[in-house]
Amino acid sequence: MKRKIVMIAFILLGMGMTASAQFGKKINLGKALQAGKDVVAAVTLSDADIANMSKEYMAWMDTHNPLTKPDTEYGKRLERLTGHIKEVDGLKLNFGVYEVIDVNAFACGDGSVRICAGLMDVMTDEEVMAVVGHEIGHVVHTDSKDAMKNAYLRSAVKNAAGAANEKVAKLTDSELGAMAEALAGAQFSQKQENEADDYGVEFCVKNGIDPYAMANALSKLAELAKDAPKASYAQRMFSSHPDTQKRIERTKAKADSYAKK
């Protein structure tokens, strides 16, 4: 049975990465330093620091969310869709499905791509792959890396959590929870979303998938948000992204350019 996690987000409509029900617990950080020093440490994070954070974060996410097994319906579908995709632009990829009801997906800077079962339930194979392409686009364009850095910055400012001697130490469970909370509240810019949409269309073309799948996925997510209760998280999120229709039209136009070739 798929489990529910606290925050239901629609990544393609502009939200950042989500985490598990750990959001509800009190954060108690142990490596507290002066907030000013924490900010400096966050700003000067190296690519290696962020890469290590990404690995730690994904290990935390995979521990706190139920990963489907390869012999399940979701596992077999995932292998059929993504089994031939080993790397993109030199980045080695690994895929997984969280057995949760959220209509969501995200990719992390370490090459991890996670899809929620709820998204697979409502989307066709081609739409799922368009979403995967979109999320990989965020990684290729370093959006995910920047989001990770900013999440560390926000959690450091909020909790005065830093690294002694200006070196980033291994994150504790509580600190990873704070990072997840910060990432869940992150939003990509319209420019970043447009670029990821374009990458999603191109990803579809390169993999022999209908180029209109990106627009179809966006349209489906917009409809889901539109039909959600007014007080729901989905409805509030959708109302804050009025340019979604423009993104749908952009991706259709881009797909048209490929269809005419």
Side-chain angles (χ1 to χ4, degrees), residues 54 77 95 136 140 145-146 158 169 175 185 210 214 244 248:
S54 296
R77 186 181 177 194
F95 298 88
I136 292 174
V140 170
K145 182 182 76 173
D146 294 340
K158 177 181 176 181
E175 289 163 338
D210 180 7
M214 186 76 257
T244 301
I248 294 171

Side-chain angles (χ1 to χ4, degrees), residues 107-145:
C108 200
D110 69 333
S112 297
V113 182
R114 297 293 181 267
I115 308 164
C116 292
L119 184 137
M120 297 184 81
D121 288 342
V122 301
M123 292 199 172
T124 67
D125 287 354
E126 293 191 329
E127 290 165 354
V128 169
M129 289 303 286
V131 172
V132 167
H134 174 98
E135 298 308 326
I136 292 174
H138 278 308
V139 174
V140 170
H141 297 145
T142 75
D143 301 339
S144 298
K145 182 182 76 173

Side-chain angles (χ1 to χ4, degrees), residues 1-5 63-66 99-102:
M1 178 181 295
K2 295 193 293 293
R3 300 204 311 231
K4 183 175 182 179
I5 49 183
T63 298
H64 290 82
N65 291 288
E99 291 191 6
V100 295
I101 65 172
D102 300 52

Side-chain angles (χ1 to χ4, degrees), residues 13 15 187 235-243:
L13 298 184
M15 300 305 293
Q187 292 189 9
Q235 180 59 244
R236 295 197 308 273
M237 179 280 303
F238 178 72
S239 64
S240 69
H241 291 81
D243 291 330

